[in-house]
Amino acid sequence: MPTLEELYRSVIMDHARYRRNFRKIDKHGVYYVHYKNPTCGDVMTLFIDIKNAKIEDAAFIGDGCSISMASSSIMTELIKGKTLKEAGLMREAMENMIRKGEEPEEDLLGDAVSLIGVHPLRARHNCALMPWQALDRIKENVY
């Protein structure tokens, strides 16, 4: 029987190989931001379509390590249908999980909890947080 660590690694590799929402959203009114991880050179462009105060669609393009690409894939899945406030709570939980090793409330982060193994790897913190930091930049421009 696989260990929890092996299951988490499997989730990360699946999202890194088969990136969900790996595309541009090319329509009027979509928010987007180009973001580069200052510590390793991973790059992404995050696209967010907001309608009626909810994130209707989220997607990204870019290139980077397995951790940053998996985190981007997972995040775009998680935030669809959420308000910016709800996405902000998820972002805070993600930050606390990666930087402090705090386990999030049950089901708050979905597959993103698989990235908890990044916590002891300080050099990889920004890889896991990259899409969430990009989301922060978009949120700054929405309101």
Side-chain angles (χ1 to χ4, degrees):
M1 178 175 244
T3 66
L4 189 57
E5 185 177 305
E6 290 168 334
L7 289 173
Y8 284 167
R9 184 177 299 118
S10 173
V11 169
I12 292 166
M13 293 312 297
D14 184 62
H15 274 276
R17 284 188 192 119
Y18 308 105
R19 300 169 189 172
R20 281 57 152 195
N21 306 303
F22 190 74
R23 59 189 162 77
K24 290 182 181 181
I25 302 176
D26 192 19
K27 62 188 212 184
H28 182 71
V30 169
Y31 294 91
Y32 66 94
V33 65
H34 303 290
Y35 195 82
K36 180 177 179 184
N37 183 338
T39 58
C40 69
D42 292 355
V43 294
M44 72 172 304
T45 303
L46 178 64
F47 302 89
I48 303 288
D49 188 16
I50 300 171
K51 296 282 188 274
N52 301 319
K54 288 200 173 189
I55 299 169
E56 185 173 280
D57 198 6
F60 75 102
I61 56 172
D63 193 34
C65 69
S66 296
I67 292 171
S68 67
M69 294 296 100
S71 186
S72 298
S73 174
I74 292 167
M75 185 197 77
T76 57
E77 292 269 282
L78 284 174
I79 64 173
K80 286 183 186 179
K82 305 291 189 225
T83 65
L84 287 175
K85 183 177 181 179
E86 290 169 327
L89 293 173
M90 296 168 115
R91 191 263 190 260
E92 186 178 328
M94 185 72 176
E95 178 93 19
N96 289 336
M97 182 181 76
I98 298 299
R99 298 220 189 267
K100 300 176 184 175
E102 294 177 7
E103 291 194 28
E105 292 179 30
E106 190 172 331
D107 295 332
L108 180 63
L109 291 180
D111 280 354
V113 77
S114 64
L115 292 161
I116 197 165
V118 174
H119 166 65
L121 309 171
R122 291 184 54 96
R124 304 308 294 271
H125 284 189
N126 283 335
C127 300
L129 294 172
M130 184 173 77
W132 299 93
Q133 293 165 346
L135 180 62
D136 284 344
R137 293 221 178 135
I138 287 178
K139 285 173 53 181
E140 290 170 4
N141 294 314
V142 172
Y143 297 111

